[in-house]
Coordinates of all heavy atoms in Angstrom, one line a residue:
V72 N -24.5 18.4 9.4 CA -25.1 17.0 9.1 C -26.3 17.2 8.3 O -26.6 16.3 7.4 CB -25.3 16.3 10.5 CG1 -26.1 15.1 10.2 CG2 -24.0 16.0 11.2
L73 N -27.2 18.1 8.6 CA -28.4 18.3 7.8 C -28.1 18.6 6.4 O -28.7 18.0 5.5 CB -29.2 19.5 8.4 CG -30.5 19.8 7.7 CD1 -31.5 18.6 7.7 CD2 -31.2 21.0 8.4
C74 N -27.2 19.6 6.1 CA -26.8 19.9 4.7 C -26.2 18.7 4.0 O -26.5 18.4 2.8 CB -25.8 21.0 4.7 SG -26.5 22.6 5.2
S75 N -25.3 17.9 4.7 CA -24.7 16.7 4.1 C -25.8 15.7 3.8 O -25.7 15.0 2.8 CB -23.7 16.2 5.1 OG -22.6 17.1 5.3
Y76 N -26.7 15.5 4.7 CA -27.8 14.5 4.5 C -28.6 14.9 3.2 O -28.9 14.0 2.4 CB -28.7 14.4 5.7 CG -29.7 13.4 5.6 CD1 -29.4 12.1 5.2 CD2 -31.1 13.7 5.9 CE1 -30.4 11.1 5.2 CE2 -32.0 12.7 5.9 CZ -31.7 11.4 5.5 OH -32.7 10.4 5.4
L77 N -29.0 16.2 3.1 CA -29.8 16.6 1.9 C -29.0 16.4 0.6 O -29.5 16.0 -0.4 CB -30.2 18.1 2.1 CG -31.1 18.4 3.2 CD1 -31.4 19.9 3.4 CD2 -32.4 17.6 3.1
L78 N -27.7 16.7 0.7 CA -26.8 16.5 -0.5 C -26.7 15.0 -0.8 O -26.7 14.6 -2.0 CB -25.4 17.1 -0.3 CG -25.3 18.6 -0.3 CD1 -23.9 19.1 0.1 CD2 -25.7 19.1 -1.7
T79 N -26.6 14.2 0.3 CA -26.6 12.7 0.1 C -27.8 12.2 -0.6 O -27.7 11.4 -1.6 CB -26.4 12.0 1.4 OG1 -25.2 12.4 2.0 CG2 -26.4 10.5 1.3
L80 N -29.0 12.7 -0.2 CA -30.3 12.3 -0.8 C -30.3 12.7 -2.3 O -30.7 11.9 -3.1 CB -31.4 12.9 0.0 CG -31.6 12.4 1.4 CD1 -32.8 13.1 2.1 CD2 -31.9 10.9 1.5
L81 N -29.9 13.9 -2.5 CA -30.0 14.5 -3.9 C -29.0 13.8 -4.8 O -29.4 13.3 -5.9 CB -29.7 16.0 -3.8 CG -29.6 16.7 -5.2 CD1 -31.0 16.6 -5.9 CD2 -29.2 18.1 -5.0
G82 N -27.7 13.7 -4.4 CA -26.7 13.1 -5.2 C -26.9 11.7 -5.5 O -26.8 11.2 -6.7
N83 N -27.2 10.9 -4.5 CA -27.3 9.4 -4.7 C -28.6 9.1 -5.4 O -28.6 8.1 -6.2 CB -27.2 8.7 -3.4 CG -25.8 8.7 -2.8 OD1 -24.9 8.0 -3.4 ND2 -25.6 9.4 -1.7
T84 N -29.7 9.8 -5.2 CA -30.9 9.6 -6.0 C -30.7 10.0 -7.4 O -31.2 9.2 -8.3 CB -32.0 10.5 -5.4 OG1 -32.2 10.2 -4.0 CG2 -33.3 10.3 -6.2
L85 N -29.9 11.0 -7.7 CA -29.6 11.4 -9.1 C -28.8 10.3 -9.8 O -29.1 9.9 -10.9 CB -28.8 12.7 -9.1 CG -28.4 13.2 -10.5 CD1 -29.6 13.5 -11.4 CD2 -27.5 14.4 -10.4
I86 N -27.9 9.7 -9.1 CA -27.1 8.6 -9.7 C -28.0 7.4 -10.0 O -27.9 6.7 -11.0 CB -25.9 8.2 -8.8 CG1 -24.8 9.3 -8.9 CG2 -25.3 6.9 -9.2 CD1 -23.6 9.0 -8.1
L87 N -28.9 7.1 -9.0 CA -29.8 6.0 -9.3 C -30.7 6.2 -10.5 O -31.0 5.3 -11.3 CB -30.7 5.8 -8.0 CG -30.0 5.0 -6.8 CD1 -30.9 5.0 -5.6 CD2 -29.7 3.6 -7.2
L88 N -31.2 7.5 -10.6 CA -32.1 7.8 -11.7 C -31.3 7.7 -13.0 O -31.8 7.1 -14.0 CB -32.6 9.2 -11.6 CG -33.7 9.4 -10.6 CD1 -34.1 10.9 -10.4 CD2 -35.0 8.6 -11.0
L89 N -30.1 8.2 -13.1 CA -29.3 8.2 -14.3 C -29.0 6.8 -14.7 O -29.1 6.4 -15.9 CB -28.0 9.0 -14.1 CG -28.2 10.5 -13.9 CD1 -26.8 11.2 -13.7 CD2 -28.9 11.2 -15.1
S90 N -28.6 5.9 -13.7 CA -28.2 4.6 -14.0 C -29.4 3.7 -14.5 O -29.2 2.8 -15.2 CB -27.6 3.9 -12.8 OG -26.4 4.6 -12.3
T91 N -30.6 4.1 -14.0 CA -31.8 3.4 -14.4 C -32.4 3.9 -15.7 O -32.8 3.0 -16.5 CB -32.9 3.6 -13.3 OG1 -32.3 3.1 -12.0 CG2 -34.1 2.7 -13.6
L92 N -32.4 5.2 -16.0 CA -33.1 5.7 -17.1 C -32.2 5.9 -18.4 O -32.8 5.9 -19.5 CB -33.6 7.1 -16.8 CG -34.7 7.2 -15.6 CD1 -35.1 8.6 -15.3 CD2 -35.9 6.3 -15.9
D93 N -30.9 6.0 -18.2 CA -30.0 6.2 -19.4 C -29.4 4.9 -19.8 O -28.6 4.3 -19.2 CB -28.9 7.2 -19.0 CG -28.2 7.7 -20.3 OD1 -28.0 6.9 -21.2 OD2 -28.0 8.9 -20.3
P94 N -29.8 4.4 -21.1 CA -29.3 3.1 -21.6 C -27.8 3.1 -21.7 O -27.2 2.0 -21.7 CB -30.0 2.9 -22.9 CG -31.2 3.8 -22.8 CD -30.8 5.0 -22.0
R95 N -27.2 4.3 -21.9 CA -25.7 4.3 -22.1 C -25.0 4.0 -20.8 O -23.7 3.8 -20.9 CB -25.3 5.7 -22.7 CG -26.0 6.0 -24.0 CD -25.4 7.3 -24.6 NE -26.2 7.8 -25.7 CZ -26.0 8.9 -26.4 NH1 -24.8 9.5 -26.2 NH2 -26.8 9.3 -27.4
L96 N -25.7 4.0 -19.7 CA -25.0 3.7 -18.4 C -25.4 2.3 -18.0 O -25.1 1.9 -16.9 CB -25.5 4.7 -17.4 CG -25.1 6.1 -17.6 CD1 -25.5 7.0 -16.4 CD2 -23.6 6.3 -17.9
Y97 N -25.9 1.5 -18.9 CA -26.2 0.1 -18.6 C -24.9 -0.8 -18.8 O -24.7 -1.5 -19.7 CB -27.3 -0.5 -19.5 CG -28.6 0.1 -19.3 CD1 -29.7 -0.3 -20.1 CD2 -28.9 0.9 -18.2 CE1 -31.0 0.2 -19.9 CE2 -30.2 1.5 -18.0 CZ -31.2 1.1 -18.9 OH -32.5 1.7 -18.7
S98 N -24.0 -0.6 -17.8 CA -22.7 -1.3 -17.8 C -22.4 -1.8 -16.4 O -23.0 -1.3 -15.4 CB -21.6 -0.4 -18.3 OG -21.3 0.6 -17.4
P99 N -21.5 -2.8 -16.2 CA -21.2 -3.3 -14.9 C -20.8 -2.2 -13.9 O -21.1 -2.2 -12.8 CB -20.1 -4.3 -15.2 CG -20.3 -4.8 -16.5 CD -20.9 -3.6 -17.3
M100 N -19.9 -1.2 -14.4 CA -19.4 -0.2 -13.5 C -20.6 0.6 -12.9 O -20.6 0.9 -11.7 CB -18.5 0.7 -14.2 CG -17.8 1.8 -13.3 SD -16.6 2.8 -14.2 CE -17.6 3.9 -15.1
Y101 N -21.5 1.0 -13.7 CA -22.7 1.8 -13.2 C -23.7 0.9 -12.5 O -24.4 1.5 -11.6 CB -23.3 2.6 -14.4 CG -22.3 3.6 -15.0 CD1 -21.7 3.3 -16.2 CD2 -22.0 4.7 -14.2 CE1 -20.8 4.2 -16.7 CE2 -21.0 5.6 -14.8 CZ -20.5 5.3 -16.0 OH -19.5 6.2 -16.5
F102 N -23.7 -0.4 -12.8 CA -24.6 -1.2 -12.0 C -24.0 -1.3 -10.5 O -24.8 -1.2 -9.6 CB -24.5 -2.7 -12.6 CG -25.2 -3.7 -11.7 CD1 -26.6 -3.8 -11.6 CD2 -24.4 -4.6 -10.9 CE1 -27.2 -4.8 -10.8 CE2 -25.0 -5.5 -10.1 CZ -26.4 -5.6 -10.0
F103 N -22.7 -1.4 -10.3 CA -22.1 -1.4 -9.0 C -22.3 -0.1 -8.4 O -22.5 0.1 -7.2 CB -20.7 -1.9 -9.1 CG -20.5 -3.3 -9.5 CD1 -19.7 -3.7 -10.5 CD2 -21.2 -4.3 -8.8 CE1 -19.5 -5.0 -10.9 CE2 -21.1 -5.7 -9.2 CZ -20.2 -6.0 -10.2
L104 N -22.1 1.0 -9.2 CA -22.2 2.4 -8.6 C -23.7 2.6 -8.1 O -23.8 3.3 -7.1 CB -21.8 3.4 -9.7 CG -21.9 4.9 -9.3 CD1 -21.1 5.2 -8.1 CD2 -21.5 5.7 -10.5
S105 N -24.7 2.1 -8.8 CA -26.0 2.3 -8.4 C -26.3 1.5 -7.1 O -27.0 2.0 -6.2 CB -27.0 1.9 -9.5 OG -26.9 0.5 -9.8
N106 N -25.6 0.3 -7.0 CA -25.7 -0.4 -5.7 C -25.1 0.4 -4.6 O -25.7 0.5 -3.4 CB -25.0 -1.7 -5.8 CG -25.9 -2.9 -6.3 OD1 -26.4 -3.6 -5.4 ND2 -26.0 -3.0 -7.6
L107 N -24.0 1.1 -4.8 CA -23.3 1.9 -3.8 C -24.2 3.1 -3.4 O -24.3 3.4 -2.3 CB -22.0 2.3 -4.3 CG -21.1 3.2 -3.4 CD1 -20.7 2.4 -2.1 CD2 -19.8 3.7 -4.1
S108 N -24.8 3.7 -4.4 CA -25.7 4.8 -4.1 C -26.9 4.5 -3.3 O -27.3 5.2 -2.4 CB -26.1 5.5 -5.5 OG -25.0 6.0 -6.1
F109 N -27.5 3.3 -3.7 CA -28.7 2.8 -2.9 C -28.2 2.5 -1.5 O -28.9 2.8 -0.5 CB -29.3 1.6 -3.5 CG -30.4 1.0 -2.8 CD1 -31.6 1.6 -2.7 CD2 -30.3 -0.2 -2.1 CE1 -32.7 1.1 -2.0 CE2 -31.3 -0.8 -1.4 CZ -32.5 -0.1 -1.3
L110 N -27.1 1.9 -1.3 CA -26.5 1.6 0.0 C -26.3 2.8 0.8 O -26.7 2.9 2.0 CB -25.2 0.8 -0.2 CG -24.6 0.1 1.1 CD1 -23.8 -1.1 0.7 CD2 -23.6 1.1 1.8
D111 N -25.7 3.8 0.2 CA -25.4 5.1 0.9 C -26.7 5.8 1.4 O -26.8 6.4 2.5 CB -24.6 6.0 0.1 CG -23.1 5.6 0.0 OD1 -22.7 4.9 0.9 OD2 -22.4 6.1 -0.9
L112 N -27.8 5.7 0.5 CA -29.0 6.3 0.9 C -29.6 5.6 2.2 O -30.0 6.3 3.1 CB -30.0 6.2 -0.2 CG -29.9 7.1 -1.4 CD1 -30.9 6.7 -2.5 CD2 -30.1 8.6 -0.9
C113 N -29.5 4.3 2.2 CA -30.0 3.5 3.4 C -29.1 3.7 4.6 O -29.6 3.9 5.7 CB -30.1 2.0 3.0 SG -31.2 1.6 1.7
F114 N -27.8 3.8 4.3 CA -26.8 3.9 5.4 C -27.0 5.2 6.2 O -27.1 5.2 7.4 CB -25.4 3.9 4.7 CG -24.3 3.7 5.7 CD1 -24.1 2.5 6.5 CD2 -23.3 4.7 5.9 CE1 -23.1 2.4 7.3 CE2 -22.3 4.5 6.7 CZ -22.1 3.4 7.5
T115 N -27.2 6.3 5.5 CA -27.3 7.6 6.2 C -28.7 7.7 6.8 O -28.8 8.2 7.9 CB -27.1 8.7 5.2 OG1 -28.0 8.6 4.1 CG2 -25.7 8.8 4.7
T116 N -29.7 7.2 6.2 CA -31.1 7.3 6.7 C -31.2 6.4 8.0 O -32.1 6.8 8.8 CB -32.1 6.8 5.6 OG1 -32.0 7.6 4.5 CG2 -33.5 6.9 6.1
T117 N -30.4 5.4 8.1 CA -30.4 4.6 9.4 C -30.0 5.4 10.6 O -30.6 5.2 11.7 CB -29.5 3.4 9.2 OG1 -29.9 2.7 8.1 CG2 -29.5 2.6 10.5
C118 N -29.1 6.4 10.4 CA -28.5 7.0 11.6 C -28.7 8.6 11.6 O -28.8 9.1 12.7 CB -27.0 6.7 11.7 SG -26.1 7.3 10.3
V119 N -28.8 9.2 10.5 CA -28.8 10.7 10.5 C -30.1 11.3 11.1 O -29.9 12.2 11.9 CB -28.6 11.2 9.0 CG1 -28.9 12.7 9.0 CG2 -27.2 10.9 8.6
P120 N -31.3 10.8 10.9 CA -32.5 11.4 11.5 C -32.3 11.4 13.1 O -32.6 12.4 13.7 CB -33.6 10.6 11.0 CG -33.2 10.1 9.7 CD -31.7 9.8 9.9
Q121 N -31.9 10.3 13.6 CA -31.7 10.2 15.1 C -30.6 11.1 15.5 O -30.7 11.8 16.6 CB -31.4 8.8 15.5 CG -31.1 8.5 16.9 CD -32.3 8.6 17.8 OE1 -33.3 8.0 17.5 NE2 -32.2 9.3 18.9
M122 N -29.6 11.2 14.7 CA -28.4 12.1 15.0 C -28.9 13.5 15.1 O -28.5 14.3 16.0 CB -27.3 11.9 14.0 CG -26.0 12.5 14.4 SD -24.8 12.3 13.0 CE -24.9 10.6 12.6
L123 N -29.7 14.0 14.1 CA -30.2 15.3 14.1 C -31.0 15.7 15.3 O -30.9 16.8 15.9 CB -31.0 15.6 12.8 CG -30.2 15.6 11.5 CD1 -31.1 15.6 10.3 CD2 -29.2 16.7 11.4
V124 N -31.9 14.7 15.7 CA -32.7 15.0 16.9 C -31.8 15.1 18.1 O -32.0 16.0 19.0 CB -33.7 13.8 17.1 CG1 -34.4 13.9 18.5 CG2 -34.7 13.7 16.0
N125 N -30.8 14.3 18.3 CA -29.9 14.4 19.4 C -29.0 15.7 19.4 O -28.8 16.3 20.4 CB -28.9 13.2 19.4 CG -29.7 11.9 19.7 OD1 -30.9 11.9 20.0 ND2 -29.0 10.8 19.6
L126 N -28.6 16.1 18.2 CA -27.8 17.3 18.1 C -28.6 18.6 18.4 O -28.1 19.6 18.9 CB -27.2 17.4 16.7 CG -26.0 16.4 16.4 CD1 -25.6 16.5 14.9 CD2 -24.8 16.7 17.3
W127 N -29.9 18.6 18.0 CA -30.7 19.8 18.1 C -31.2 20.0 19.6 O -31.2 21.2 20.0 CB -31.9 19.7 17.2 CG -32.7 21.0 17.2 CD1 -34.0 21.1 17.7 CD2 -32.4 22.2 16.7 NE1 -34.4 22.4 17.6 CE2 -33.4 23.1 16.9 CE3 -31.2 22.7 16.0 CZ2 -33.4 24.5 16.5 CZ3 -31.2 24.0 15.6 CH2 -32.3 24.9 15.9
G128 N -31.6 19.0 20.2 CA -32.3 19.2 21.5 C -31.6 18.4 22.7 O -30.6 17.7 22.5
P129 N -32.2 18.6 23.9 CA -31.6 17.9 25.0 C -31.8 16.4 25.1 O -31.2 15.7 25.8 CB -32.2 18.6 26.2 CG -33.5 19.1 25.7 CD -33.3 19.4 24.2
T130 N -32.9 16.0 24.4 CA -33.2 14.6 24.4 C -32.3 13.8 23.5 O -32.2 14.0 22.3 CB -34.7 14.4 23.9 OG1 -35.6 15.1 24.6 CG2 -35.1 12.9 23.9
K131 N -31.5 12.9 24.2 CA -30.5 12.1 23.4 C -30.7 10.6 23.7 O -29.7 9.8 23.7 CB -29.1 12.5 23.9 CG -28.9 14.0 23.7 CD -27.5 14.4 24.1 CE -27.3 15.9 23.9 NZ -27.5 16.4 22.6
T132 N -31.9 10.2 23.9 CA -32.2 8.8 24.2 C -32.6 8.0 22.9 O -33.1 8.6 21.9 CB -33.4 8.7 25.2 OG1 -34.5 9.3 24.7 CG2 -33.0 9.3 26.5
I133 N -32.4 6.7 23.0 CA -32.8 5.8 21.9 C -33.3 4.5 22.6 O -32.7 4.1 23.6 CB -31.7 5.5 20.9 CG1 -32.3 4.6 19.7 CG2 -30.5 4.9 21.5 CD1 -31.3 4.5 18.6
S134 N -34.4 4.0 22.2 CA -35.0 2.8 22.9 C -34.1 1.6 22.6 O -33.3 1.6 21.6 CB -36.4 2.5 22.3 OG -36.4 2.2 21.0
F135 N -34.2 0.6 23.4 CA -33.4 -0.6 23.2 C -33.7 -1.2 21.8 O -32.8 -1.6 21.1 CB -33.7 -1.7 24.2 CG -32.9 -2.9 24.1 CD1 -31.6 -3.0 24.6 CD2 -33.5 -4.1 23.5 CE1 -30.9 -4.2 24.4 CE2 -32.8 -5.2 23.4 CZ -31.5 -5.3 23.9
L136 N -35.0 -1.3 21.4 CA -35.4 -1.8 20.1 C -34.8 -0.9 19.0 O -34.3 -1.4 18.0 CB -36.9 -1.9 20.0 CG -37.5 -2.3 18.6 CD1 -37.0 -3.7 18.3 CD2 -39.0 -2.3 18.6
G137 N -34.9 0.4 19.2 CA -34.3 1.3 18.2 C -32.8 1.2 18.0 O -32.3 1.2 16.9
C138 N -32.2 0.9 19.2 CA -30.7 0.7 19.1 C -30.4 -0.6 18.4 O -29.5 -0.7 17.6 CB -30.1 0.7 20.6 SG -28.3 0.5 20.6
F139 N -31.2 -1.6 18.7 CA -31.0 -2.9 18.0 C -31.2 -2.8 16.5 O -30.3 -3.3 15.7 CB -32.0 -3.9 18.5 CG -32.1 -5.2 17.7 CD1 -31.1 -6.2 18.0 CD2 -33.0 -5.4 16.8 CE1 -31.2 -7.4 17.2 CE2 -33.1 -6.6 16.0 CZ -32.1 -7.6 16.3
V140 N -32.3 -2.1 16.1 CA -32.5 -1.9 14.6 C -31.4 -1.1 14.0 O -30.9 -1.5 12.9 CB -33.9 -1.3 14.4 CG1 -34.1 -0.9 12.9 CG2 -35.0 -2.2 14.9
Q141 N -31.0 0.0 14.6 CA -30.0 0.8 14.1 C -28.6 0.1 14.0 O -28.0 0.2 12.9 CB -29.8 2.1 15.0 CG -28.8 3.1 14.4 CD -28.6 4.3 15.3 OE1 -27.9 4.2 16.3 NE2 -29.3 5.4 15.0
L142 N -28.3 -0.6 15.0 CA -27.0 -1.4 15.0 C -27.0 -2.4 13.9 O -26.0 -2.6 13.2 CB -26.8 -2.0 16.4 CG -25.6 -2.9 16.5 CD1 -24.3 -2.1 16.3 CD2 -25.5 -3.5 17.9
F143 N -28.1 -3.2 13.8 CA -28.2 -4.3 12.9 C -28.1 -3.7 11.4 O -27.3 -4.2 10.6 CB -29.6 -5.0 13.0 CG -29.7 -6.2 12.2 CD1 -29.3 -7.5 12.8 CD2 -30.1 -6.3 10.9 CE1 -29.4 -8.6 12.1 CE2 -30.2 -7.4 10.2 CZ -29.8 -8.6 10.8
I144 N -28.9 -2.7 11.1 CA -28.8 -2.2 9.7 C -27.5 -1.5 9.4 O -26.9 -1.6 8.4 CB -30.0 -1.2 9.5 CG1 -31.3 -2.0 9.6 CG2 -29.9 -0.6 8.1 CD1 -32.6 -1.1 9.5
F145 N -27.0 -0.7 10.4 CA -25.8 0.1 10.2 C -24.6 -0.8 10.0 O -23.8 -0.6 9.1 CB -25.6 0.9 11.5 CG -24.6 2.0 11.3 CD1 -24.9 3.2 10.7 CD2 -23.3 1.9 11.9 CE1 -24.0 4.2 10.5 CE2 -22.4 3.0 11.7 CZ -22.7 4.1 11.1
L146 N -24.5 -1.9 10.8 CA -23.4 -2.9 10.6 C -23.5 -3.6 9.3 O -22.5 -3.9 8.6 CB -23.4 -3.8 11.8 CG -22.3 -4.8 11.9 CD1 -20.9 -4.1 12.0 CD2 -22.4 -5.8 13.1
A147 N -24.8 -4.0 9.0 CA -24.9 -4.8 7.7 C -24.6 -3.9 6.5 O -23.9 -4.4 5.6 CB -26.4 -5.2 7.6
L148 N -25.0 -2.7 6.5 CA -24.7 -1.8 5.4 C -23.2 -1.5 5.3 O -22.6 -1.4 4.2 CB -25.6 -0.6 5.4 CG -27.1 -0.8 5.3 CD1 -27.9 0.5 5.4 CD2 -27.4 -1.5 3.9

Side-chain angles (χ1 to χ4, degrees):
V72 171
L73 178 60
C74 293
S75 297
Y76 184 51
L77 294 176
L78 287 173
T79 298
L80 295 178
L81 177 63
N83 287 290
T84 301
L85 179 61
I86 287 180
L87 282 173
L88 283 174
L89 294 177
S90 301
T91 304
L92 299 177
D93 196 316
R95 300 187 194 184
L96 299 186
Y97 291 173
S98 68
M100 183 176 76
Y101 295 106
F102 171 77
F103 294 128
L104 179 58
S105 63
N106 269 265
L107 181 63
S108 294
F109 177 71
L110 188 151
D111 282 341
L112 284 173
C113 299
F114 193 64
T115 53
T116 303
T117 301
C118 62
V119 169
Q121 176 74 45
M122 193 187 307
L123 290 172
V124 172
N125 292 353
L126 288 172
W127 182 253
T130 303
K131 302 182 185 301
T132 58
I133 184 171
S134 67
F135 181 81
L136 178 61
C138 184
F139 171 81
V140 172
Q141 186 182 79
L142 177 63
F143 190 93
I144 298 176
F145 197 75
L146 184 60
L148 294 178

